[in-house]
Amino acid sequence: MDEDRKKYKIFAEDKKFYLGRIAVSDGRFSSVDLERELGDEELFSGEEDFLLPGLIDIHFHGCLGKDFCDGTREAVSTLAKYEAEHGITGICPATLTLPVEELEKVLGLARTYRDEGLKIGEARLLGINMEGPFISPVKKGAQNPNYILKWDDRIANRFLEASGGLVKYMGIAPEENPAFKDFIPKMQGKVRISLAHTNADFQTAVEAYRAGASHAVHLFNAMTGLDHRNPGVVGATMEQKEVFAELIADGVHVHPMMVRLAFTVLGEDRVILISDSLRSTGMPDGLYDLGGQEVEKKGKHCRLTSNGALAGSVSNVYDCLCTAVKEMGIPLRKAVTAASLNPARSLGVDQDYGSITVGKVADYLIVDKDLKQKAVYQAGKILPIF
């Protein structure tokens, strides 16, 4: 048993912070001794460090010059190492809109990587988020329009089979796939259907959610917005109480006021912070490939050179968490919930990940009161990166 007698400000299962101690045995928390709850005014006072659960990013594409859809072992390993080094110990990378055969290759490689088991120093591959290809050409954003498809049951099941069950989310634009009331119920228990890159009006989005869709891809981005006469996909997402919504809090994609609005209206249990990071993350300014399209990175912005459309981010979920807290006024407790417990719940792995709780896997971070990371642990073992 590895027992840490230091006291920490611990993020517990009830989404509150407590002063306490932990012990780890066989890679899991064997003891979590919580002495007393900490009020918001106490969180950033005192000398104790924070002990946070390892974060989970359920939507990102790449970093350090690599993209998940490169379809190589090197690319997946590069992504997994980068994420772990930044406190993201669980990952669910996103695919691009590409030819079916190419996507099957990417999914098959990910399945092989998953089957090899945990590699200390590389984030756990918990799933795959298929952002395309069943999306809208009107709201394609930075997705390649050449490979957009109408929904096809056979193709969808080919993706699920190729991944060996790793595909956890499959995006659709319901207005482009009017048979959604038939096929969404058939996918229940196989994969979460999300609304992604969609030009749907409010009523169509509501009907898709009522048919069983349960997830919204990067809320506010690449979807119909919140208007007082047509609440759009954003309004439908806010109204449906069982729907999780991804949110990019990098300070570029969504205005701070709208981030605060999302947390207020959806509540702390439905927001999932994501990065939507591209291969240009961690790289110098310049030109990069995104699914066969050219993207230019300038500082924190990535845009298609063809039309100036905003592409993904150059951030990571831990940086998004810090931005949400320090620059957008989101309480630390809510931001941590949105970057750890909520994605774990959405993926269906919260029995093992997402909070500091006896029996859960000991993936966690040590962070000082300025939110600077001091250590990252996987299965109770410290990563040699600090």
Side-chain angles (χ1 to χ4, degrees):
M1 177 181 290
D2 178 16
E3 189 166 8
D4 193 335
R5 300 313 301 164
K6 283 185 64 176
K7 288 186 179 181
Y8 295 99
K9 298 166 184 173
I10 297 173
F11 180 81
E13 182 73 15
D14 62 0
K15 299 166 288 188
K16 297 177 182 178
F17 280 96
Y18 294 82
L19 193 65
R21 299 181 175 90
I22 64 163
V24 175
S25 180
D26 296 325
R28 293 179 179 265
F29 294 110
S30 56
S31 173
V32 179
D33 181 17
L34 304 178
E35 294 183 2
R36 64 182 180 86
E37 183 181 344
L38 297 171
D40 290 342
E41 69 283 353
E42 296 180 88
L43 285 185
F44 293 98
S45 63
E47 297 304 315
E48 295 88 0
D49 292 324
F50 291 102
L51 197 152
L52 309 179
L55 307 189
I56 299 172
D57 193 349
I58 67 166
H59 187 150
F60 73 106
H61 297 278
C63 61
L64 302 180
K66 304 295 182 183
D67 190 289
F68 179 62
C69 280
D70 289 347
T72 67
R73 178 65 174 73
E74 180 187 7
V76 178
S77 181
T78 297
L79 270 59
K81 287 178 181 176
Y82 172 88
E83 297 296 314
E85 289 172 359
H86 288 80
I88 300 106
T89 56
I91 57 174
C92 177
T95 56
L96 299 167
T97 298
L98 296 169
V100 171
E101 294 75 16
E102 195 169 333
L103 286 170
E104 285 182 302
K105 176 187 173 184
V106 171
L107 299 176
L109 180 98
R111 175 182 186 173
T112 299
Y113 176 89
R114 186 270 314 270
D115 292 346
E116 292 171 357
L118 174 66
K119 306 154 193 73
I120 294 296
E122 298 186 14
R124 303 171 190 271
L125 182 59
L126 300 177
I128 296 170
N129 189 337
M130 295 202 73
E131 193 171 1
F134 310 117
I135 59 175
S136 164
V138 179
K139 292 289 187 179
K140 63 184 183 298
Q143 297 288 326
N144 195 324
N146 294 327
Y147 306 116
I148 291 175
L149 299 176
K150 300 293 185 182
W151 177 271
D152 185 306
D153 287 348
R154 292 170 299 175
I155 292 175
N157 283 301
R158 280 169 60 182
F159 290 151
L160 296 177
E161 183 177 354
S163 75
L166 263 177
V167 172
K168 303 300 182 183
Y169 308 94
M170 198 170 286
I172 68 162
E175 78 284 4
E176 295 288 336
N177 298 280
F180 65 81
K181 291 182 181 179
D182 295 322
F183 68 74
I184 290 179
K186 290 193 294 186
M187 302 306 290
Q188 299 302 298
K190 295 182 179 181
V191 67
R192 280 186 176 271
I193 296 296
S194 56
L195 300 195
H197 289 265
T198 169
N199 198 42
D201 60 16
F202 173 78
Q203 190 57 41
T204 301
V206 167
E207 291 173 1
Y209 285 135
R210 288 176 177 171
S214 57
H215 195 84
V217 170
H218 43 51
L219 189 71
F220 302 117
N221 296 113
M223 64 175 59
T224 47
L226 189 64
D227 179 83
H228 65 295
R229 290 196 177 91
N230 179 13
V233 177
V234 172
T237 301
M238 290 179 168
E239 187 176 63
Q240 302 302 306
K241 303 304 182 184
E242 303 302 317
V243 174
F244 285 101
E246 303 172 0
L247 191 63
I248 310 172
D250 64 343
V252 173
H253 281 75
V254 183
H255 191 280
M257 179 269 165
M258 298 303 281
V259 172
R260 292 191 291 272
L261 178 69
F263 273 92
T264 299
V265 178
L266 276 76
E268 64 185 54
D269 294 332
R270 296 171 55 202
V271 177
I272 298 177
L273 291 182
I274 64 166
S275 70
D276 199 13
S277 66
L278 304 182
R279 70 168 77 243
S280 50
T281 300
M283 300 292 284
D285 287 357
L287 300 177
Y288 296 89
D289 173 73
L290 179 65
Q293 301 181 101
E294 188 177 69
V295 172
E296 184 174 16
K297 174 184 179 290
K298 285 185 178 181
K300 293 183 177 181
H301 293 77
C302 283
R303 296 184 180 276
L304 291 181
T305 57
S306 60
N307 60 14
L310 186 64
S313 84
V314 292
S315 189
N316 61 65
V317 162
Y318 189 77
D319 286 345
C320 288
L321 182 154
C322 292
T323 298
V325 173
K326 294 181 176 182
E327 300 178 21
M328 298 178 172
I330 303 302
L332 179 62
R333 179 178 65 81
K334 293 185 179 182
V336 173
T337 300
S340 59
L341 188 56
N342 288 353
R345 288 173 51 227
S346 178
L347 285 167
V349 296
D350 53 308
Q351 72 278 6
D352 288 321
Y353 309 104
S355 64
I356 311 301
T357 308
V358 171
K360 288 194 177 185
V361 175
D363 290 353
Y364 61 97
L365 323 178
I366 305 297
V367 177
D368 69 18
K369 61 183 178 181
D370 295 319
L371 300 186
K372 181 179 179 181
Q373 291 185 15
K374 299 175 70 172
V376 178
Y377 288 77
Q378 275 186 299
K381 300 181 183 298
I382 189 170
L383 302 188
I385 56 177
F386 292 90

